[in-house]
Amino acid sequence: MLRPSFLSLLLACAVSLSSSAVFLENGMPILWAQTAGQLTDLPTQNGILTPDPWNFLHRMSLYRLMIVATDPLMGSMGTNATDSPLWGLPLQLGWMLTSGRLADPTSATTCGLQTGDTMCVSTQSWWSCVTYFVSVLPFLSAAKQGFMGEGVQVQMQIPEGVQDYCTTYASCAASYPDAMSKWDAFFQGLKAAADSPLPENEKKDSLLGLYWVAQMASTYASAACNSRQSHYSSTEVSFAKSWLNSAEYVSAAHFQSNLQKSSMFISPLPSRILRVDDSAPNIADLSSEENHTLYVFSWINSMNNLLGGTLVSMWKSAMCSVNTREKGSKLLEELLLNPSFATQTFLSIITGMTSSC
């Protein structure tokens, strides 16, 4: 891993070259080449692996190690080395880094700021907290299921005085039993799929189902982070809730969050933390794509609230087969990436798909 000062320079250069949030570097997640490629690149103490998830490179390394360990069992996802659904997670983390969402929102420290340690991930950031549940929890589960080697024990580092994060498999399983059991089921399912007689497309859909069930269980568990929303503007909080809510739709569709598809969805996300006076689709210093995405997120959330929460349930009901889930994934791409695609068309298509189940 490179020195923090050089990494800060690389990050500053990447951000300055684009008005949009930068999350790719040479076709891979940002700073990917500087992450740990093997377990021995991470610190150990008394024979126990001790990553520091409050360092961006360490947290990103958890993803790299999981991808490397599970790739041999991801054949049903496709022939490309970046077809695993796990790729969406490091891309998401990279966007949060360059958009400033991993930095200390309280201004009490310079953690994550250009004037401080740019690789620092703040324990006070709501975004950092939420992604803890989809980085540390699955890594601890993967290690428990033997993906990191036989008998590997892991204990996450945590800053002194911080107490509201679990750091071992046992403590996370005690605090968030549903999330940990769902990640266990996913990693066990990967092993079982190797001998499954199912056709490849059904095997793929089944694994994606297990993956998204685990992701959503972590998302629900991340309600523990809610108090940290008070550090942000009401506009940012509204976007954050819409962003979380969007997971309900992509998970029900068993969206294959590989590197290529995830890049398309993350690219138009807002490149900075939103201010109270920001109003999409008319935010001057954000791109038209970013404005469109914010508008669509807001529309989906508003429609779901207007319908008493039934838009989500309608969508889930419509995702009743491998065929409708494939159509659903394409429909989400149209809605988020094609500005000319009418939101009302989205509603009518959902209604039609629901009646066919």
Side-chain angles (χ1 to χ4, degrees):
M1 295 186 184
L2 300 181
R3 291 182 178 180
S5 58
F6 184 66
L7 290 172
S8 298
L9 180 61
L10 281 177
L11 182 61
C13 289
V15 172
S16 66
L17 290 173
S18 175
S19 58
S20 298
V22 179
F23 59 92
L24 288 172
E25 184 179 41
N26 298 321
M28 301 297 280
I30 194 165
L31 300 178
W32 193 251
Q34 280 73 57
T35 58
Q38 51 192 3
L39 285 181
T40 52
D41 293 332
L42 291 175
T44 59
Q45 186 173 3
N46 300 323
I48 298 175
L49 191 70
T50 57
D52 178 8
W54 306 107
N55 173 280
F56 174 80
L57 292 180
H58 279 222
R59 192 177 288 203
M60 190 68 100
S61 295
L62 302 184
Y63 291 135
R64 184 174 179 181
L65 292 169
M66 281 193 287
I67 289 171
V68 169
T70 57
D71 258 357
L73 301 176
M74 290 286 186
S76 62
M77 296 297 154
T79 56
N80 293 324
T82 55
D83 277 335
S84 167
L86 289 170
W87 281 101
L89 296 171
L91 292 180
Q92 178 178 267
L93 187 65
W95 161 69
M96 291 180 190
L97 174 76
T98 58
S99 66
R101 289 179 166 85
L102 300 181
D104 186 350
T106 70
S107 300
T109 71
T110 58
C111 176
L113 301 178
Q114 292 297 323
T115 54
D117 179 3
T118 56
M119 294 297 101
C120 178
V121 176
S122 174
T123 59
Q124 292 303 307
S125 162
W126 177 84
W127 297 92
S128 300
C129 182
V130 168
T131 55
Y132 191 89
F133 286 82
V134 290
S135 55
V136 168
L137 270 62
F139 185 83
L140 291 170
S141 173
K144 182 70 172 180
Q145 299 305 319
F147 279 88
M148 300 302 146
E150 186 177 354
V152 171
Q153 296 183 56
V154 186
Q155 176 155 7
M156 299 292 165
Q157 296 181 40
I158 190 166
E160 186 177 353
V162 178
Q163 299 179 334
D164 54 346
Y165 290 95
C166 59
T167 58
T168 64
Y169 178 89
S171 64
C172 288
S175 298
Y176 310 105
D178 186 59
M180 291 304 288
S181 66
K182 295 299 195 298
W183 282 114
D184 288 346
F186 167 66
F187 290 114
Q188 291 164 4
L190 270 178
K191 293 179 180 179
D195 301 317
S196 172
L198 288 174
E200 289 301 297
N201 69 320
E202 292 184 26
K203 189 186 299 184
K204 171 183 172 181
D205 183 72
S206 176
L207 287 175
L208 288 172
L210 288 172
Y211 171 74
W212 280 108
V213 165
Q215 265 247 54
M216 293 309 299
S218 273
T219 298
Y220 299 144
S222 71
C225 305
N226 284 355
S227 63
R228 291 168 172 79
Q229 291 182 353
S230 63
H231 303 318
Y232 301 91
S233 71
S234 58
T235 309
E236 178 74 2
V237 171
S238 178
F239 163 64
K241 291 178 179 178
S242 296
W243 174 78
L244 276 184
N245 187 54
S246 70
E248 297 281 4
Y249 298 89
V250 294
S251 64
H254 293 187
F255 177 70
Q256 186 180 356
S257 48
N258 60 22
L259 189 141
Q260 179 187 8
K261 291 183 178 179
S262 294
S263 296
M264 292 191 300
F265 276 84
I266 293 172
S267 178
L269 292 179
S271 54
R272 62 164 173 79
I273 294 175
L274 301 177
R275 298 184 286 264
V276 68
D277 58 346
D278 285 330
S279 179
N282 301 305
I283 305 175
D285 64 334
L286 296 187
S287 68
S288 58
E289 291 80 10
E290 290 169 89
N291 270 287
H292 172 70
T293 298
L294 287 171
Y295 170 75
V296 169
F297 272 24
S298 177
W299 177 84
I300 290 177
N301 201 40
S302 297
M303 285 304 302
N304 187 53
N305 291 336
L306 185 64
L307 296 171
T310 58
L311 183 59
V312 170
S313 58
M314 283 173 59
W315 176 261
K316 289 181 176 180
S317 296
M319 301 297 104
C320 58
S321 67
V322 174
N323 184 47
T324 57
R325 286 191 285 271
E326 289 176 350
K327 290 181 179 178
S329 292
K330 293 177 181 177
L331 183 58
L332 288 175
E333 290 180 29
E334 281 290 307
L335 180 67
L336 285 172
L337 305 176
N338 182 3
S340 64
F341 187 79
T343 49
Q344 291 303 318
T345 303
F346 179 74
L347 273 180
S348 63
I349 292 176
I350 292 177
T351 304
M353 291 172 71
T354 303
S355 64
S356 68
C357 285

